[in-house]
Amino acid sequence: MRILKHILTYLFWILLSLCIGIGYMRLLLGSNTVSEEGLGYLLHLFFDIGMIQVGLWVGSVIASCFVLLDVFYLRKKLKNNSKKTIIRLVVLLMISVLVAIVHYLLEKVIDVI
Protein backbone atom coordinates (compact mmCIF):
# COMPACT_ATOMS: atom_id res chain seq x y z
CA MET A 1 0.00 0.00 0.00
CA ARG A 2 2.90 2.34 0.76
CA ILE A 3 4.38 1.80 -2.71
CA LEU A 4 1.04 2.63 -4.33
CA LYS A 5 0.88 5.85 -2.31
CA HIS A 6 4.38 6.82 -3.50
CA ILE A 7 3.49 6.04 -7.12
CA LEU A 8 0.32 8.14 -6.95
CA THR A 9 2.17 10.99 -5.26
CA TYR A 10 4.87 11.01 -7.92
CA LEU A 11 2.21 10.77 -10.63
CA PHE A 12 0.62 13.91 -9.19
CA TRP A 13 3.98 15.75 -9.18
CA ILE A 14 4.69 14.61 -12.75
CA LEU A 15 1.29 15.84 -13.97
CA LEU A 16 1.87 19.16 -12.20
CA SER A 17 5.30 19.43 -13.87
CA LEU A 18 3.81 18.75 -17.30
CA CYS A 19 1.16 21.43 -16.72
CA ILE A 20 3.89 23.88 -15.67
CA GLY A 21 5.81 23.07 -18.87
CA ILE A 22 2.76 23.68 -21.06
CA GLY A 23 2.02 26.88 -19.12
CA TYR A 24 5.59 28.05 -19.67
CA MET A 25 5.28 27.50 -23.41
CA ARG A 26 1.95 29.36 -23.38
CA LEU A 27 3.66 32.32 -21.70
CA LEU A 28 6.59 32.13 -24.09
CA LEU A 29 4.58 31.87 -27.32
CA GLY A 30 1.62 34.03 -26.34
CA SER A 31 -1.92 33.54 -27.46
CA ASN A 32 -2.87 31.91 -30.74
CA THR A 33 -3.94 34.77 -33.01
CA VAL A 34 -4.08 32.74 -36.24
CA SER A 35 -7.47 32.63 -37.92
CA GLU A 36 -9.45 29.42 -37.57
CA GLU A 37 -11.00 29.69 -41.02
CA GLY A 38 -9.75 28.15 -44.25
CA LEU A 39 -6.02 27.46 -44.54
CA GLY A 40 -5.45 29.36 -41.30
CA TYR A 41 -7.09 26.46 -39.47
CA LEU A 42 -4.05 24.28 -40.17
CA LEU A 43 -1.71 26.97 -38.87
CA HIS A 44 -3.92 27.36 -35.81
CA LEU A 45 -3.83 23.60 -35.25
CA PHE A 46 -0.05 23.39 -35.76
CA PHE A 47 0.47 26.23 -33.27
CA ASP A 48 -1.56 24.46 -30.59
CA ILE A 49 0.00 21.05 -31.23
CA GLY A 50 3.50 22.56 -31.23
CA MET A 51 2.86 24.42 -27.98
CA ILE A 52 1.63 21.24 -26.30
CA GLN A 53 4.40 19.05 -27.71
CA VAL A 54 7.26 21.38 -26.71
CA GLY A 55 5.55 22.11 -23.40
CA LEU A 56 5.39 18.40 -22.64
CA TRP A 57 9.12 18.05 -23.37
CA VAL A 58 9.93 20.97 -21.07
CA GLY A 59 7.57 19.54 -18.44
CA SER A 60 9.19 16.13 -18.68
CA VAL A 61 12.61 17.68 -18.05
CA ILE A 62 11.18 19.47 -15.01
CA ALA A 63 9.52 16.27 -13.81
CA SER A 64 12.60 14.12 -14.20
CA CYS A 65 14.79 16.63 -12.34
CA PHE A 66 12.22 16.92 -9.55
CA VAL A 67 11.66 13.18 -9.15
CA LEU A 68 15.40 12.46 -9.06
CA LEU A 69 15.97 15.24 -6.53
CA ASP A 70 13.04 14.05 -4.42
CA VAL A 71 14.04 10.39 -4.44
CA PHE A 72 17.69 10.95 -3.65
CA TYR A 73 17.59 14.02 -1.38
CA LEU A 74 14.26 15.55 -0.36
CA ARG A 75 12.53 12.41 0.90
CA LYS A 76 15.27 11.84 3.47
CA LYS A 77 15.47 15.47 4.56
CA LEU A 78 11.70 16.01 4.85
CA LYS A 79 10.87 12.79 6.67
CA ASN A 80 9.50 14.43 9.84
CA ASN A 81 8.65 17.87 8.48
CA SER A 82 5.04 19.03 8.62
CA LYS A 83 5.43 21.39 5.62
CA LYS A 84 6.90 18.89 3.20
CA THR A 85 4.26 19.50 0.51
CA ILE A 86 4.90 23.24 0.53
CA ILE A 87 8.66 22.70 0.41
CA ARG A 88 8.30 20.26 -2.50
CA LEU A 89 6.11 22.75 -4.37
CA VAL A 90 8.69 25.50 -3.86
CA VAL A 91 11.46 23.15 -5.05
CA LEU A 92 9.37 22.26 -8.12
CA LEU A 93 8.89 25.94 -8.94
CA MET A 94 12.61 26.60 -8.46
CA ILE A 95 13.45 23.77 -10.84
CA SER A 96 10.94 25.23 -13.30
CA VAL A 97 12.67 28.61 -13.13
CA LEU A 98 16.07 26.98 -13.66
CA VAL A 99 14.78 25.04 -16.69
CA ALA A 100 13.26 28.25 -18.08
CA ILE A 101 16.59 30.06 -17.67
CA VAL A 102 18.49 27.23 -19.37
CA HIS A 103 15.90 27.19 -22.17
CA TYR A 104 16.27 30.95 -22.64
CA LEU A 105 20.06 30.73 -22.67
CA LEU A 106 20.07 27.90 -25.22
CA GLU A 107 17.46 29.53 -27.45
CA LYS A 108 18.35 33.23 -27.41
CA VAL A 109 21.94 33.56 -26.24
CA ILE A 110 23.74 30.52 -27.60
CA ASP A 111 21.19 29.93 -30.42
CA VAL A 112 21.30 26.13 -30.22
CA ILE A 113 17.56 25.49 -30.12
Side-chain angles (χ1 to χ4, degrees):
M1 190 67 176
R2 196 177 93 194
I3 294 173
L4 181 64
K5 182 181 174 188
H6 283 298
I7 290 172
L8 290 176
T9 303
Y10 283 126
L11 185 64
F12 168 74
W13 289 111
I14 289 170
L15 288 174
L16 186 62
S17 300
L18 293 175
C19 290
I20 288 173
I22 293 173
Y24 168 68
M25 289 312 297
R26 170 78 173 157
L27 285 173
L28 192 66
L29 295 175
S31 63
N32 192 352
T33 58
V34 178
S35 172
E36 289 188 39
E37 298 176 5
L39 188 59
Y41 176 73
L42 288 174
L43 294 174
H44 183 80
L45 190 64
F46 288 149
F47 184 87
D48 287 340
I49 290 172
M51 178 179 62
I52 291 172
Q53 185 178 10
V54 175
L56 288 176
W57 278 104
V58 171
S60 65
V61 169
I62 294 169
S64 61
C65 290
F66 175 75
V67 169
L68 288 174
L69 183 69
D70 190 55
V71 166
F72 291 120
Y73 183 73
L74 287 178
R75 194 167 42 168
K76 295 172 191 170
K77 292 292 183 180
L78 301 176
K79 195 165 197 129
N80 295 323
N81 197 340
S82 62
K83 297 181 181 181
K84 57 184 160 187
T85 305
I86 303 288
I87 294 171
R88 283 187 172 129
L89 185 62
V90 168
V91 168
L92 180 68
L93 292 175
M94 287 174 29
I95 290 172
S96 301
V97 168
L98 287 174
V99 169
I101 289 170
V102 168
H103 181 262
Y104 176 79
L105 288 174
L106 289 176
E107 186 176 0
K108 301 292 183 183
V109 177
I110 301 174
D111 199 23
V112 174
I113 298 176

